[in-house]
Amino acid sequence: MPDEILSPRENEIASAYAQGDTYQAIADRLCIAPSTVRTHLATIYRKLGVSSKLDLRKQIEAAAPTGSVADHPPRPDKPSIAVLAFENMSGDPQQEYFSDGITEDIITALSRSPWLFVIARNSSFTYKGQSVDVRRVATELGVRFVLEGGVRRAGDRIRVTAQLIDGLTGGHVWSERYDGQLKDVFDLQDEITRQVVASLQTVVHLNTAEEPVERGTRPDLTVWELTMRAWHLLYDFTPDAYAAAKILLERALALDPKSAEANMVLSLINHHVALLGFAQDTLHAAEAAHALGRRATQLDPKNEYAQWALGISCWGLHRHEEGLAALERAVELNPNCSVARGSLGTALALVGRTGESIENQTIAIRMNPRDPSIFFRFSGLAIANYVAGDHPSAIEWAERAIHHNPRWQHAYFILAASHIALGQAEDARAAVETCREVLPDIAASAVERVPLKDEAKMQELRLRLHMAGFV
């Protein structure tokens, strides 16, 4: 029996880890270092004669008495969430339809994501009207996160609050407030749903895949865990992170070559390696990204992220229409996928449809203002305004993109070219020098990684970059 072999502290760590807690979550709860958790787990594995989390979980469940925590469902490997019925705080029972409608829309929208395990409405609504301990709810439903919120009406105005709770610690991960007019209740409901879902997808993921590089050395990681850790590394935007991600994904594909998610994330890694100039042969990386993205869509045609990966992989290959079609399909599959909508905005700018581009980028930013890759949204707006001839706006958005990621070369290209278009040669040269401080090997040819479809405009952009001082 584990409780007879292990110390009380070891039992607590073993149970938490077997149920899906991460090293960091256990460390935070017990006020110890993650390295200490790892040391305890090594001792636990040795004492119990197990070699994997699955074996550990089986031993604990086999020894657990009826009515213990083992009766509750285990947390899945993927990020998991339950959405509790939003509270009607208006004092008017007739407003119950709105708070319930918001909750149901969020559950439905979250359920569309292949990255999330979402508890169905019939289960999460059983807690409606109760004062509950979120950690108990998370344990009983077998999820990591719980979303709760409230709806208040005052006259013709509606205020919706939402907060995401970590079911392991009871701590707040994210919270937001949304205000709107009740003129068109369904439009307001859709707007709030879009913003909550887009933000949640990013926040939940980034708070789930912890210690990606170190834990990637474990031999017992599943395809899902390997893929999730690689996805987490995507947001580092560094050569070392992408090299580590490739190793994880190659392991995942060796285990399951037909994993749409692993093919998709490897496509994204190759695309960003090419886009950011981290490969000697960026064309080869772009072609690999395209092939992997296409394979991901073939393996799972209804996965919006696979369509997104395919869509953005087309840019450096001058496959503008194919990329546009894939991104439109991604948004059609999931209108709440902010990265797909933002990339669609960039694709529209590249083909000259600037009004639609700005609209989609603006929606994407509003949906997910905390997106770690939001500098791509800003530079997408810079491209759209540049193509539209609004060079002051292009400068403004390019500068915002650089502020969020000083190593994103395309923002410097649009910034310098826009200054040249306005006759501001000195400002253009200053932009070039700033770029060279962080990217000393930058060359004007890097602009070809995100080319405009119109060759005349592309040639004009090349000329302006040379005039600014890029060679």
Side-chain angles (χ1 to χ4, degrees):
M1 301 289 286
D3 58 350
E4 296 174 357
I5 299 172
L6 306 178
S7 69
R9 170 57 60 89
E10 288 169 346
N11 261 309
E12 186 174 7
I13 291 173
S15 296
Y17 187 64
Q19 290 299 314
D21 289 16
T22 63
Y23 294 152
Q24 189 63 55
I26 297 170
D28 289 344
R29 187 162 63 253
L30 299 181
C31 299
I32 58 178
S35 59
T36 304
V37 176
R38 286 192 290 272
T39 301
H40 277 300
L41 281 169
T43 303
I44 290 164
Y45 274 40
R46 178 178 53 78
K47 285 183 175 181
L48 298 182
V50 299
S51 59
S52 70
K53 183 193 293 186
L54 179 61
D55 291 339
L56 177 64
R57 181 184 297 167
K58 286 178 179 177
Q59 279 220 24
I60 291 174
E61 289 179 354
T66 303
S68 74
V69 70
D71 291 330
H72 299 308
R75 294 187 181 92
D77 289 332
K78 66 171 68 176
S80 52
I81 186 169
V83 183
L84 300 183
F86 277 34
E87 183 182 357
N88 173 23
M89 304 169 68
S90 303
D92 179 3
Q94 294 185 2
Q95 297 303 315
E96 200 80 10
Y97 79 95
F98 186 79
S99 55
D100 284 355
I102 286 283
T103 312
E104 290 167 1
D105 278 359
I106 291 171
I107 292 172
T108 299
L110 286 172
S111 298
R112 284 176 147 183
S113 173
W115 300 103
L116 298 176
F117 176 87
V118 184
I119 295 296
R121 175 199 187 279
N122 289 348
S123 293
S124 58
F125 266 60
T126 60
Y127 297 93
K128 184 175 179 179
Q130 302 178 30
S131 178
V132 296
D133 180 347
V134 170
R135 285 179 292 185
R136 177 174 69 84
V137 172
T139 299
E140 291 176 353
L141 296 179
V143 296
R144 168 74 186 273
F145 298 99
V146 176
L147 179 72
E148 59 182 8
V151 180
R152 186 185 303 276
R153 178 180 177 181
D156 63 348
R157 294 191 60 78
I158 286 282
R159 170 167 292 175
V160 177
T161 57
Q163 55 185 1
L164 185 69
I165 310 297
D166 188 328
L168 301 179
T169 65
H172 284 69
V173 177
W174 166 87
S175 62
E176 196 57 84
R177 186 182 75 190
Y178 307 94
D179 294 297
Q181 298 285 337
L182 200 61
K183 296 176 183 176
D184 194 327
V185 66
F186 294 112
D187 284 349
L188 176 61
Q189 196 165 302
D190 289 345
E191 175 71 11
I192 291 170
T193 299
R194 279 198 300 270
Q195 293 185 34
V196 171
V197 171
S199 294
L200 279 180
Q201 287 175 331
T202 297
V203 171
V204 166
H205 176 74
L206 293 180
N207 281 273
T208 301
E210 292 157 345
E211 299 182 280
V213 177
E214 183 175 352
R215 297 191 66 190
T217 61
R218 281 177 36 209
D220 62 328
L221 287 172
T222 65
V223 171
W224 183 263
E225 288 175 313
L226 290 163
T227 304
M228 284 296 94
R229 279 153 181 74
W231 174 270
H232 191 69
L233 287 167
L234 179 68
Y235 292 106
D236 281 12
F237 304 110
T238 64
D240 289 345
Y242 291 165
K246 281 188 174 183
I247 293 171
L248 294 171
L249 292 164
E250 286 165 1
R251 283 178 57 192
L253 289 171
L255 293 170
D256 182 7
K258 294 186 177 180
S259 167
E261 288 79 15
N263 277 278
M264 179 270 289
V265 178
L266 188 53
S267 170
L268 291 173
I269 294 296
N270 276 281
H271 169 72
H272 284 79
V273 164
L275 189 68
L276 298 169
F278 295 155
Q280 287 187 342
D281 188 345
T282 56
L283 179 59
H284 177 74
E287 290 172 340
H290 183 262
L292 288 159
R294 179 166 291 284
R295 177 164 172 74
T297 62
Q298 292 168 345
L299 290 167
D300 187 357
K302 293 187 177 181
N303 185 324
E304 68 270 29
Y305 289 96
Q307 297 288 345
W308 168 54
L310 175 60
I312 61 178
S313 74
C314 292
W315 294 344
L317 302 175
H318 292 262
R319 296 172 175 261
H320 289 95
E321 296 305 326
E322 180 187 351
L324 194 57
L327 291 165
E328 287 174 340
R329 177 62 177 152
V331 172
E332 178 185 339
L333 287 167
N334 186 357
N336 302 301
C337 183
S338 64
V339 289
R341 188 176 287 277
S343 295
L344 173 59
T346 299
L348 289 164
L350 297 177
V351 300
R353 293 162 58 180
T354 56
E356 296 169 79
S357 169
I358 292 170
E359 179 183 358
N360 277 277
Q361 295 282 10
T362 302
I363 291 173
I365 292 169
R366 188 167 70 246
M367 287 168 66
N368 197 359
R370 302 184 187 186
D371 182 358
S373 61
I374 200 166
F375 65 92
F376 284 135
R377 307 288 78 79
F378 295 156
S379 68
L381 281 167
I383 295 169
N385 282 283
Y386 173 83
V387 173
D390 185 351
H391 298 110
S393 293
I395 289 170
E396 178 185 347
W397 285 111
E399 288 176 339
R400 291 185 67 177
I402 292 166
H403 174 74
H404 280 264
N405 185 352
R407 299 184 63 83
W408 175 220
Q409 75 267 350
H410 214 77
Y412 290 105
F413 292 155
I414 297 300
L415 177 62
S418 297
H419 278 306
I420 290 294
L422 293 172
Q424 300 166 348
E426 187 174 335
D427 290 329
R429 285 191 292 273
V432 174
E433 289 306 311
T434 302
C435 182
R436 284 177 177 154
E437 288 175 5
V438 291
L439 298 167
D441 298 325
I442 192 67
S445 59
V447 76
E448 308 297 333
R449 298 170 196 161
V450 191
L452 306 178
K453 183 182 179 183
D454 186 325
E455 182 54 33
K457 280 194 172 292
M458 192 62 191
Q459 185 56 34
E460 181 182 56
L461 176 57
R462 295 186 191 105
L463 177 60
R464 286 171 173 168
L465 293 180
H466 286 299
M467 292 173 64
F470 283 111
V471 295

